Amino acid sequence: MELIEYGVIDGLPHYFASATDEYGKRELHSVYAEDSQQAYEFFEVNGYVDIVLHSNDASAVIDGLSPDTGSMIDRMLPLDLMQNHYQTIRKLSLALLKRLYWKLRWILAVVIGFLLLFQWNRGVLGNTRGITVIAILLLLPALVAYLAARFSVYRRYKQLLDAAFWGRWQEVLDQIPRLEGMFPEYDLDARAAVALSALGRLDEGLELMQPYADSSRVPRWIYWSRLADLYFYANDEEQIQNCVRLAAEDAPELPIVKLGHAHILIQFTTEYDRAKQLLEQTEKQHLDQQCKLSLQRFKGNLELKLGNYQGAKEYFLVCQQGIQELLASQPAALHMMQPGMQLDFDVNQAYFAIALAELGDRAQAEEMYQQALPRLQALGYQRIMDRYAKAIRS
């Protein structure tokens, strides 16, 4: 699937979407827009149907800040990585090799044709030296493809995300210097700040985030949302709520902001009516794949708080199945989503186990909970572990 890109606008959020045109052809598209709703409407107005957003407003903002490396290999690599899901270096190499051969097909044809013509004119067609040169020309793209896959910056970034989503905080700090200049400075600094906070160095993390407090390129809402992550790992519930409130004041209509606000209200307050209202408003908007699934989980979280365990179970089941289908389908533009989706799956699994325990299905609850437990322990999700312990005892 080729990537179709519409007008690069520096600093504007960058969205990916799959859509079908009037001729029935389905393609991966890339568009710069003010927000996810505008991005969706762009395709709608231009006659596309079956529109599926792959980017939420947060990921689109970060992608819009990405520096241009100017490397042909790196410009070709992301789409191949999306389609191959980082599974193995071999698969990445083959995907890139296919692209390289296609890009270089005319150059290779001309060069090889010239060599054959030269040999024919000299009466040495098919000699060993000529065959060796042609073989080298044909094999060189394979070497380039392997090296690009083996040392790709995107693969390194995937390793950074894996470390972050498994709570290997020192590894996060060690990985970041290798990616400087290749990914948005804000994204790398924010991830470093979260790692510092999780390691008990909150003040250092806040200091690292300070330059972005009044940045013209980083939206205020995303600054406050990331700051809430720092306070989460510092176990400061008051500051978490304050940051989320400020993010909501800055961008009250963005789906991802509404979801985050509702989630915090459910987790840390008793403002369940307000949380329900936010979830209902969000459901009426155009959502990307990940936000759609988060909406189901947060609905389940709300039902848990209200004591409706059967309703909670049903929402968690929808979320679980949705994540499994999304990961199995390997849609384009999932290149940076996989680690986060796996994290979401484990967290949803834990809440699913809580609902099952409350309903008396302890055997299945324990089986599901044990699958999610390594992630909960790695990230220090004590609140979820305590809630399960309470449910399984009752």
Side-chain angles (χ1 to χ4, degrees):
M1 184 183 290
E2 292 294 325
L3 175 65
I4 301 174
E5 189 168 57
Y6 302 95
V8 176
I9 304 176
D10 184 44
L12 207 60
H14 186 197
Y15 296 86
F16 290 95
S18 295
T20 304
D21 64 18
E22 58 184 319
Y23 303 106
K25 187 175 183 180
R26 190 162 186 80
E27 297 283 1
L28 171 67
H29 301 262
S30 166
V31 64
Y32 289 77
E34 292 289 344
D35 56 43
S36 55
Q37 306 311 289
Q38 187 185 82
Y40 189 97
E41 289 162 8
F42 169 85
F43 296 108
E44 224 173 22
V45 168
N46 284 280
Y48 289 92
V49 296
D50 297 329
I51 304 161
V52 177
L53 287 174
H54 300 302
S55 307
N56 60 48
D57 290 291
S59 63
V61 166
I62 298 302
D63 202 47
L65 295 173
S66 296
D68 182 8
T69 62
S71 163
M72 181 184 74
I73 296 298
D74 284 336
R75 286 202 303 272
M76 289 191 296
L77 200 49
L79 186 58
D80 293 306
L81 288 176
M82 294 177 202
Q83 294 171 330
N84 284 276
H85 231 244
Y86 295 100
Q87 290 175 351
T88 64
I89 292 175
R90 175 177 168 273
K91 287 189 176 183
L92 298 182
S93 301
L94 290 175
L96 183 54
L97 180 60
K98 180 180 177 181
R99 180 69 61 85
L100 278 172
Y101 275 134
W102 179 252
K103 293 284 185 181
L104 300 175
R105 64 191 185 281
W106 295 117
I107 296 175
L108 289 172
V110 170
V111 172
I112 292 173
F114 175 79
L115 285 172
L116 291 173
L117 181 62
F118 178 78
Q119 287 186 312
W120 183 75
N121 285 333
R122 299 192 61 175
V124 290
L125 185 64
N127 72 358
T128 304
R129 181 178 297 179
I131 293 174
T132 301
V133 172
I134 292 172
I136 291 173
L137 285 173
L138 291 174
L139 291 175
L140 188 58
L143 177 62
V144 172
Y146 172 79
L147 293 175
R150 180 69 179 83
F151 300 104
S152 163
V153 295
Y154 293 94
R155 187 174 179 82
R156 280 184 248 160
Y157 189 76
K158 163 67 162 49
Q159 292 171 345
L160 171 67
L161 295 182
D162 282 337
F165 293 143
W166 278 100
R168 301 194 300 270
W169 302 116
Q170 188 57 53
E171 183 179 333
V172 170
L173 296 177
D174 294 340
Q175 289 275 3
I176 285 174
R178 303 170 58 200
L179 298 169
E180 289 175 354
M182 302 173 188
F183 289 90
E185 184 180 11
Y186 166 76
D187 184 42
L188 297 180
D189 282 348
R191 293 191 184 282
V194 170
L196 288 168
S197 178
L199 291 170
R201 298 154 62 183
L202 175 62
D203 290 343
E204 293 179 58
L206 292 173
E207 184 179 353
L208 191 57
M209 291 293 291
Q210 185 56 40
Y212 302 103
D214 298 306
S215 171
S216 60
R217 287 176 59 81
V218 178
R220 298 285 290 170
W221 67 266
I222 202 167
Y223 166 76
W224 288 117
S225 297
R226 191 54 66 94
L227 213 60
D229 293 339
L230 269 71
Y231 287 116
F232 173 82
Y233 286 104
N235 296 310
D236 191 331
E237 294 182 13
E238 183 178 350
Q239 285 292 355
I240 294 172
Q241 294 179 54
N242 183 54
C243 289
V244 171
R245 177 182 59 80
L246 290 169
E249 289 177 2
D250 185 65
E253 295 305 316
L254 291 185
I256 195 167
V257 173
K258 288 182 184 179
L259 285 174
H261 193 189
H263 177 58
I264 294 304
L265 291 176
I266 294 167
Q267 294 300 314
F268 299 118
T269 77
T270 56
E271 296 182 49
Y272 301 142
D273 288 341
R274 175 59 177 150
K276 183 178 180 181
Q277 182 184 39
L278 288 168
L279 293 177
E280 289 174 347
Q281 290 174 0
T282 305
E283 193 166 21
K284 297 175 182 178
Q285 295 180 283
H286 302 301
L287 304 179
D288 67 281
Q289 296 162 301
Q290 199 164 7
C291 280
K292 284 181 180 178
L293 296 172
S294 294
L295 175 66
Q296 297 303 312
R297 175 156 64 88
F298 296 160
K299 282 184 173 183
N301 291 149
L302 180 58
E303 295 303 322
L304 267 185
K305 288 285 188 174
L306 296 174
N308 180 10
Y309 303 125
Q310 183 60 40
K313 171 188 170 182
E314 291 170 4
Y315 282 123
F316 294 140
L317 177 60
V318 171
C319 183
Q320 180 193 59
Q321 292 174 339
I323 294 175
Q324 288 174 326
E325 290 171 6
L326 187 55
L327 289 172
S329 66
Q330 298 185 6
L334 200 62
H335 61 309
M336 294 304 177
M337 286 171 57
Q338 185 190 17
M341 293 300 295
Q342 291 170 333
L343 167 61
D344 288 346
F345 182 85
D346 288 342
V347 172
N348 184 78
Q349 190 95 327
Y351 281 119
F352 200 163
I354 292 170
L356 290 172
E358 291 286 5
L359 290 168
D361 192 347
R362 295 190 175 189
Q364 188 177 359
E366 184 64 14
E367 180 181 350
M368 296 182 72
Y369 181 72
Q370 290 301 322
Q371 293 172 4
L373 185 57
R375 179 86 68 172
L376 304 180
Q377 292 174 329
L379 291 170
Y381 286 176
Q382 194 60 47
R383 179 183 290 269
I384 301 177
M385 291 186 281
D386 290 344
R387 181 65 181 87
Y388 176 76
K390 178 183 176 182
I392 205 70
R393 287 196 304 265
S394 62

